[in-house]
Amino acid sequence: MPDPIEEPRQDTSSELLGWETDRWEIDRTVWQHPHEKTPYGTTLVQAYEAAHPDGEVTVIDLMLGLDQYQDASQDFEDYLIAMVQSRAMQLAPDRVEPVEAEALLKLPKRAQLRVFDQLTVLASQVFDWMRAQGMDPVPGATSLPPLVTEADRDRIQGS
């Protein structure tokens, strides 16, 4: 039997947690579980809500406030929040920044358009995945409704 003083037992719990965190950090599908605990102790939805308290408007709020998203399901919102939050926590290159509407609206129009384009890419992934799972993210829509109209896009790019 090993001597605990001469050969102290390795604490494997921190190694296991570290491995679990490392694995989570590179898993591009973690957003598909918005209400499961992350290695950081909260769910993705809880982490997002903590980062953006009540009253703070985010790009997701702006998106879901548009007419074409009025019928979007709560699941679509939760999965989209999980997607945006997981990409932010993982420091993924495709993360949406800034998330806060106030910071977004201070940017030049072309920079705002880039943020909306990034959000559209993530929202499309969520929409397509949900449809593949048999869910109806935005009832009546067979593809993700546009976040920015072509007329708005042309006006911004022309300026």
Side-chain angles (χ1 to χ4, degrees):
M1 182 137 157
D3 181 349
I5 296 186
E6 294 293 323
E7 298 175 42
R9 183 170 172 246
Q10 294 287 341
D11 181 8
T12 57
S13 64
S14 62
E15 288 177 18
L16 181 60
L17 181 58
W19 178 82
E20 191 66 27
T21 302
D22 290 346
R23 191 171 62 89
W24 188 91
E25 287 288 341
I26 60 171
D27 185 350
R28 304 281 291 168
T29 64
V30 296
W31 63 269
Q32 295 171 3
H33 310 284
H35 300 289
E36 288 183 15
K37 288 217 183 283
T38 69
Y40 302 102
T42 62
T43 69
L44 288 167
V45 172
Q46 289 169 335
Y48 185 86
E49 289 170 350
H52 309 287
D54 284 344
E56 181 179 79
V57 179
T58 67
V59 293
I60 294 174
D61 297 322
L62 293 177
M63 177 183 178
L64 296 177
L66 297 172
D67 290 343
Q68 60 268 37
Y69 291 99
Q70 289 303 302
D71 294 330
S73 70
Q74 182 62 50
D75 284 340
F76 179 69
E77 181 176 356
D78 289 349
Y79 285 116
L80 184 56
I81 284 171
M83 172 70 92
V84 169
Q85 184 64 32
S86 68
R87 294 300 191 262
M89 291 171 73
Q90 294 171 332
L91 298 177
D94 61 344
R95 67 188 177 273
V96 174
E97 287 185 356
V99 174
E100 301 80 16
E102 185 177 333
L104 173 72
L105 297 175
K106 289 179 181 176
L107 296 175
K109 293 289 184 195
R110 286 184 187 204
Q112 290 179 30
L113 184 58
R114 276 193 303 276
V115 172
F116 285 130
D117 286 344
Q118 290 171 312
L119 182 59
T120 297
V121 168
L122 298 182
S124 292
Q125 290 175 17
V126 170
F127 185 93
D128 294 344
W129 178 82
M130 287 181 71
R131 298 249 325 152
Q133 302 303 309
M135 294 182 256
D136 197 4
V138 182
T142 56
S143 62
L144 183 75
L147 185 56
V148 178
T149 66
E150 285 305 315
D152 287 339
R153 183 177 299 285
D154 291 344
R155 188 172 52 254
I156 291 168
Q157 291 174 336
S159 58

